[in-house]
Structure formats: structure tokens, C-alpha cells
Amino acid sequence: MKKINWIIIKNISRGFEYGVGTFVKNMIQGLSILPEYDIFVIEIGSNCLEDFYIESNEAVTFLHFSKAWYFIGEDTVSNQIKHAKNILRILQPYIPKERETVIHLNFITQYYLGQEFKRAYNATILFTQHMFIETFNNNQYYFNLEKNVYNMVDHVVTVTNHGKNFLTERFNSSDKITTIYNGVNPMPFNNSIIHDDVRGKYGLLNTDHYI
């Protein structure tokens, strides 16, 4: 079977672990059961002693960079590119190059690393739009970066139709924008023990309905 590299770039931060982090975790779980993919998760900002280390299982390889590598914010373009090139140089021995490769970005600040992968691996780049620039830094640097991301990527996923309409209006194109809603894992809500505990606590009968 011809294998495909699926590379997910994950910047570690306190906020990331819950919203976007849950999205990424579920995506990794879903992709890992498909035999045609080798999953590589690049974690930048891991809480580890080594500057760089690798852990893997049968389906997923995690490539951890320490907090010393967490580089985000406004800086010169040359410094951003240099930082991305250094990360790519470290990763290349561990990610097969003569394969179809997909890069998945989750923040516009991952643009420079995505750009280097696109050049080195002739990669297809997907970008999931989790938030809009206006929500955290309404300045020209991030507006320009967002524009660069949309010019570079091959496809954009938004989690709402509002997001798709917003991006279509801003960039005058809907051809490469798809809406995929965030899902909910139903399994935690199917546990009869949990339901029995709730009914007992509040004196509910089996015929009573609750949300």
C-alpha cells in the first residue's frame, strides 16, 4: 500500500489544549485508524527536558520541540523563516520525503513552517480556521499574515457557515473553503452508570427525561 504523510502542526499553549487541542486530538484519533496514512504530529512548546525528542506508536509519531522552540508573535520575516528552516532541518530525517504529503495548519502563525514544508515536500496544505484575526490581535501584521496563509494553502476548513461567508467576502472566493462543523463524542453520554447516579441524586424515575 502506498503510504501518505499526514503532518499536523501543533503549537502547545494553555488555551490550545482545550478548544483547538480537542479538535486536533480527535483528528489524530480518526486518521490513525486509516492504514494509508502515517501521522506525524509536530508539537512545538512541549514541556520536556530535551530540546527535541520523538515518541511513537504504530500509527502516530510525535515530534516534540521544547518551549525554547516556541516562537510566536511579531518579528522580522527573515527571523521567522530562519526559525522554520531550522525546525524543518531537524525533522527531515524522520519524515519520508518521496511520498504524497499533507500538512495541516491550525493557526496563521504556523504559516512560515507550512511554507517551508510545501517547498521541501511539495506538500498539500490544509488550514482549519478556528478563530478570526479580529478576536485577538486587530493589527496589520496579522492581517497580512492571514492573507499570506490563504494565498498559500490548498484548502480551508471553517467550523461554521458564518466563517465561510466571512472568508468568502474577505478573499472574494469560496472555491477552496469548506464548512465542517465540530462534533461531539457521544460515548461519555451513553454510560448507564452515570445516568443511574444522576437519577439517584435527583430522585428521578427511569421514565423521567433530563438534559
Side-chain angles (χ1 to χ4, degrees), residues 155-174:
H155 206 83
V156 179
V157 174
T158 66
V159 296
T160 65
N161 278 327
H162 169 75
K164 181 177 180 178
N165 294 336
F166 180 88
L167 296 175
T168 299
E169 182 177 343
R170 173 172 285 181
F171 297 103
N172 298 316
S173 174
S174 61

Side-chain angles (χ1 to χ4, degrees), residues 80-128:
Q80 296 273 11
I81 292 174
K82 185 184 298 183
H83 180 255
K85 285 182 180 293
N86 285 337
I87 291 177
L88 179 64
R89 174 179 53 80
I90 293 171
L91 292 174
Q92 279 183 316
Y94 306 103
I95 301 176
K97 200 168 185 179
E98 302 303 321
R99 286 185 184 179
E100 182 180 350
T101 298
V102 178
I103 313 291
H104 194 117
L105 310 181
N106 290 283
F107 290 106
I108 62 170
T109 50
Q110 298 166 345
Y111 164 72
Y112 294 100
L113 187 53
Q115 180 178 244
E116 294 304 317
F117 264 107
K118 191 175 182 72
R119 290 171 177 167
Y121 283 76
N122 192 28
T124 298
I125 299 197
L126 304 181
F127 173 64
T128 298

Side-chain angles (χ1 to χ4, degrees), residues 9 14 65 83 86 88 94 137 143 158 184 200 203:
I9 302 177
R14 184 176 180 182
F65 289 85
H83 180 255
N86 285 337
L88 179 64
Y94 306 103
N137 274 298
F143 282 121
T158 66
V184 175

Side-chain angles (χ1 to χ4, degrees), residues 4-183:
I4 299 171
N5 297 330
W6 193 292
I7 302 171
I8 301 167
I9 302 177
K10 179 181 178 183
N11 289 55
I12 302 297
S13 65
R14 184 176 180 182
F16 182 93
E17 288 305 307
Y18 299 97
V20 181
T22 301
F23 172 90
V24 170
K25 181 175 70 174
N26 289 335
M27 179 170 60
I28 293 169
Q29 290 174 347
L31 289 170
S32 66
I33 65 174
L34 302 176
E36 64 267 33
Y37 293 114
D38 277 340
I39 314 301
F40 298 89
V41 182
I42 303 170
E43 292 197 344
I44 302 174
S46 291
N47 188 21
C48 55
L49 296 177
E50 302 94 337
D51 278 347
F52 173 73
Y53 78 97
I54 299 172
E55 61 176 340
S56 61
N57 54 42
E58 291 183 0
V60 184
T61 300
F62 291 89
L63 304 131
H64 299 274
F65 289 85
S66 71
K67 290 181 179 179
W69 286 90
Y70 192 83
F71 183 70
I72 189 171
E74 301 172 42
D75 206 322
T76 64
V77 171
S78 60
N79 281 346
Q80 296 273 11
I81 292 174
K82 185 184 298 183
H83 180 255
K85 285 182 180 293
N86 285 337
I87 291 177
L88 179 64
R89 174 179 53 80
I90 293 171
L91 292 174
Q92 279 183 316
Y94 306 103
I95 301 176
K97 200 168 185 179
E98 302 303 321
R99 286 185 184 179
E100 182 180 350
T101 298
V102 178
I103 313 291
H104 194 117
L105 310 181
N106 290 283
F107 290 106
I108 62 170
T109 50
Q110 298 166 345
Y111 164 72
Y112 294 100
L113 187 53
Q115 180 178 244
E116 294 304 317
F117 264 107
K118 191 175 182 72
R119 290 171 177 167
Y121 283 76
N122 192 28
T124 298
I125 299 197
L126 304 181
F127 173 64
T128 298
Q129 177 76 48
H130 298 281
M131 62 184 69
F132 296 102
I133 302 307
E134 290 83 351
T135 62
F136 65 99
N137 274 298
N138 191 6
N139 65 47
Q140 195 59 46
Y141 172 84
Y142 289 101
F143 282 121
N144 292 340
L145 194 59
E146 181 184 54
K147 183 177 180 180
N148 290 339
V149 168
Y150 284 100
N151 287 335
M152 175 185 67
V153 301
D154 297 283
H155 206 83
V156 179
V157 174
T158 66
V159 296
T160 65
N161 278 327
H162 169 75
K164 181 177 180 178
N165 294 336
F166 180 88
L167 296 175
T168 299
E169 182 177 343
R170 173 172 285 181
F171 297 103
N172 298 316
S173 174
S174 61
D175 294 343
K176 62 178 184 180
I177 304 174
T178 300
T179 301
I180 300 178
Y181 296 105
N182 285 333

